[in-house]
Amino acid sequence: SQTIHQWPATLVQPVGSPLSLECTVEGTSNPNLYWYRQAAGRGLQLLFYSVGIGQISSEVPQNLSASRPQDRQFILSSKKLLLSDSGFYLCAWSGLAPLQQFFGPGTRLTVL
Amino acid sequence: DQQVKQNSPSLSVQEGRISILNCDYTNSMFDYFLWYKKYPAEGPTFLISISSIKDKNEDGRFTVFLNKSAKHLSLHIVPSQPGDSAVYFCAANPGGTSYGKLTFGQGTILTVHP
C-alpha cells in the first residue's frame, strides 16, 4: 500500500533562517506531488506541484521554492523565512486520478 | 480572494441526528467538487466527490448535494456518529488540467456529541 511521510511534524524557526521540509512517498511510481499551506483562518492553498523529477510548477509567487530530486521525494525550501511563512504545510500525492489526493500528516511551522 | 468558502467555522450536533456542512464557491469554471475529512495530527483524507453534471452523490451515510445555480454544495451526514468529529474541507477543481488543481475552503469543525 502507499504511504506518505513528512518531517518534521513541528518546527519553530527564527525570521531569516533557512527552511527545508521533506516529503517522501512509498508504494507508488511517478506520482504527482503537491505542497499546500494552510495559514490561520484560510483554506489549504496549493503552493507547488510536480508531475515528474525536476519538474516544478509554482501556483503563487512567494518566498518558498520546491525541488523533486527523486521520483518519490519532494522538498520545500526557503533561504530566508518570513513571519508570513508560518502555517501548516501539507504534502500530497495523486496517481491516475489526479483529483483524489492523499495527504501526509503535515508540518506545523512557526516563524518567530 | 477566497474562491471556496465555508462560512461556518464550527458545527455541533447530537449523535444520531443529521449534520449539514455547507460550502459556497465563486468560480463558475469549477466542475468537480470534493469533501475531505481531517483528524488532529493527520493529513486530510478523501471522503466523497461530485461532478458538476450531477446534483447528488451518495456513499453510505454521506451525501453531497450540488446546486450549480446557487454555486453551493453541502455535505449531509446521517446519522452522525461521535467518530465523525473532525475538520471537514470542501475543495473544487476547474477541470482542463492534467494535475489535481484543488482550491480548498477554510474548513468546518464538526463535533458530534454522544
Side-chain angles (χ1 to χ4, degrees):
Chain A
S1 65
Q2 301 89 359
T3 55
I4 179 168
H5 305 278
Q6 275 187 257
W7 62 91
T10 60
L11 190 59
V12 180
Q13 292 284 97
V15 169
S17 64
L19 172 74
S20 180
L21 301 181
E22 189 163 343
C23 170
T24 58
V25 181
E26 295 177 357
T28 187
S29 296
N30 197 30
N32 291 339
L33 296 172
Y34 311 86
W35 276 112
Y36 287 88
R37 175 174 63 199
Q38 184 178 23
R42 308 279 292 180
L44 296 174
Q45 181 184 35
L46 179 63
L47 303 177
F48 300 95
Y49 70 92
S50 171
V51 298
I53 295 174
Q55 300 179 63
I56 309 294
S57 295
S58 173
E59 281 293 301
V60 293
Q62 61 203 301
N63 183 44
L64 302 167
S65 62
S67 61
R68 185 170 177 175
Q70 300 179 43
D71 182 45
R72 288 168 287 179
Q73 184 185 29
F74 206 22
I75 298 171
L76 185 69
S77 305
S78 173
K79 292 181 180 177
K80 288 185 178 182
L81 283 169
L82 306 172
L83 287 174
S84 57
D85 291 324
S86 293
F88 189 56
Y89 289 82
L90 285 160
C91 180
W93 73 273
S94 67
L96 296 177
L99 297 183
Q100 294 209 357
Q101 297 177 16
F102 302 90
F103 286 83
T107 295
R108 174 75 59 190
L109 172 66
T110 303
V111 182
L112 302 175
Chain B
D1 176 32
Q2 283 282 121
Q3 295 189 60
V4 178
K5 293 183 181 180
Q6 295 174 255
N7 292 315
S8 296
S10 62
L11 175 67
S12 184
V13 171
Q14 204 67 31
E15 180 179 7
R17 306 296 289 270
I18 184 172
S19 296
I20 300 177
L21 298 128
N22 293 304
C23 180
D24 297 295
Y25 61 95
T26 57
N27 189 343
S28 58
M29 298 300 291
F30 288 145
D31 66 357
Y32 197 82
F33 304 88
L34 307 91
W35 284 94
Y36 280 80
K37 180 167 77 172
K38 183 185 178 305
Y39 292 117
E42 296 182 11
T45 55
F46 169 75
L47 189 58
I48 192 170
S49 62
I50 188 167
S51 165
S52 61
I53 62 173
K54 294 185 174 182
D55 55 17
K56 176 183 174 182
N57 188 27
E58 193 170 353
D59 183 2
R61 297 185 295 115
F62 302 91
T63 303
V64 56
F65 295 92
L66 176 63
N67 182 333
K68 291 186 288 294
S69 60
K71 294 192 176 67
H72 177 83
L73 67 155
S74 60
L75 174 68
H76 293 211
I77 306 174
V78 183
S80 301
Q81 299 173 354
D84 296 328
S85 298
V87 181
Y88 289 79
F89 292 96
C90 64
N93 174 266
T97 60
S98 60
Y99 67 98
K101 183 178 174 62
L102 295 178
T103 301
F104 283 83
Q106 311 96 305
T108 296
I109 301 170
L110 173 65
T111 304
V112 181
H113 299 281

